[in-house]
Amino acid sequence: MQETVTYVEMTDRAQLNPAAPVQGLLLEPLDRTSPLIPDVMSRVGAPHGWKSSRRTPDEWRAWLAANPRRAFALLTYESEPAGIVACDPHDHEVEIETFGLLPDFVGKGLGAHALTLAVRRAWELSPTATRVWLHTSSLDHPNALPNYYRRGFRTFKTEPGTRP
């Protein structure tokens, strides 16, 4: 399946255009050994064909081991798991490696504030960071890229691709 991958970045914390808060939506740190990580990530990614939706247990272990600094946080809405954020902090940048809502929470007005929480978390993970970035696909939710732009991200690269 053909796709366009768009890479977006924020190069200063002040570029974040926060969304209005959503009462009951929280972002809580998640221990990297939590069974919620593969569970929630696979369910978030399933509608979009993400790799996380089809990893085997061995592939999950390898993915988790690949970056020991990777940090996870669970989005909850009214105390229910609603989504997940995975960030890969480096010395001067943080990649938001995964950001998404569970299908039951999509279309309920949570995405803008959820992204605000995720971006704030990413900046907090590396005090020396001068950039927070992520990528999205044309096969992801159609509101993803507009949400990134509204929060203050700007495109730095696009590339065509193919997803199995």
Side-chain angles (χ1 to χ4, degrees):
M1 186 174 297
Q2 297 295 323
E3 68 177 334
T4 299
V5 178
T6 302
Y7 296 80
V8 297
E9 68 183 353
M10 209 177 269
T11 55
D12 190 286
R13 297 166 199 263
Q15 292 171 341
L16 175 62
N17 180 25
V22 173
Q23 190 71 16
L25 183 65
L26 301 172
L27 184 65
E28 302 169 357
L30 191 60
D31 186 275
R32 62 184 296 114
T33 63
S34 173
L36 286 172
I37 294 169
D39 174 55
V40 174
M41 283 184 68
S42 63
R43 291 190 293 139
V44 165
H48 313 292
W50 292 358
K51 290 177 193 173
S52 62
S53 66
R54 55 186 187 274
R55 282 188 184 119
T56 66
D58 285 343
E59 290 170 328
W60 274 109
R61 281 188 286 282
W63 182 80
L64 287 165
N67 186 344
R69 293 179 64 189
R70 186 171 288 143
F72 299 91
L74 184 69
L75 285 158
T76 61
Y77 182 62
E78 298 179 349
S79 301
E80 294 293 322
I84 197 158
V85 178
C87 293
D88 287 353
H90 303 282
D91 291 338
H92 300 293
E93 68 179 23
V94 177
E95 177 188 1
I96 299 176
E97 205 277 343
T98 301
F99 166 76
L101 295 172
L102 289 165
D104 288 349
F105 294 90
V106 171
K108 298 189 185 288
L110 305 177
H113 185 56
L115 181 58
T116 297
L117 296 173
V119 171
R120 285 179 176 151
R121 170 90 168 126
W123 282 112
E124 291 168 0
L125 288 172
S126 178
T128 61
T130 57
R131 178 169 94 131
V132 168
W133 67 279
L134 57 86
H135 70 275
T136 188
S137 164
S138 55
L139 301 176
D140 290 345
H141 193 280
N143 291 339
L145 193 55
N147 187 21
Y148 300 143
Y149 291 147
R150 283 192 301 273
R151 300 291 68 81
F153 283 95
R154 67 175 183 267
T155 298
F156 70 90
K157 179 171 74 170
T158 58
E159 58 188 18
T162 305
R163 188 177 302 180

